Amino acid sequence: NIPEVDFIVGLVAPLARTTHATSALLVMRFFAFRKMLACGVCKYHGSSMWRRLSAMRVHYFTQPLPNPLSFYAHHLSEWCHGVSVLATFLIEVVCPFLLWLPFLWPARILGWIAFNAIIVMINVTGNYGFIGIPLNLMENLACTDDH
């Protein structure tokens, strides 16, 4: 996703200063849509643990760089882990479609809030460095209202 976003930003940045700003915004919004939807679909089809709502029992210590808060998240109740998986699917599979409701701009803002909330929660319990916070939050800015 990083090379694609870098390429597209470089390609559409000159358009943003012209009458084609809407095209640039829609391209970036598409990347945010695709990233979140693909994450949710890959989780669902990639492991039966996600379908059984039990993936969070092992996620905190099998992610690339667990941090000290991962220990505490790992020891949350089974109920909390199940709710976390359901919230993840809601945000990654349902919320991306909120970006394309032009007649209902608060829905797009709700999607933006949900995207950023999951990115923050992922980075609170793990360390993804520049991929986690800066890249995703900047890409998600295209989801905000442009009026």
Side-chain angles (χ1 to χ4, degrees), residues 103-137:
F103 55 87
L104 193 60
W105 69 265
R108 189 167 56 232
I109 300 301
L110 179 65
W112 176 74
I113 290 169
F115 290 178
N116 290 333
I118 197 169
I119 295 303
V120 168
M121 290 307 296
I122 287 169
N123 282 277
V124 163
T125 61
N127 180 6
Y128 289 86
F130 72 93
I131 295 173
I133 297 280
L135 177 68
N136 286 303
L137 295 184

Side-chain angles (χ1 to χ4, degrees), residues 49-50 53-60 73-74 81-82 84-85 88:
M49 291 185 78
W50 284 97
L53 307 181
S54 62
M56 299 311 280
R57 290 190 313 200
V58 297
H59 167 75
Y60 300 108
H74 176 73
H81 289 310
S84 296
V85 172
T88 299

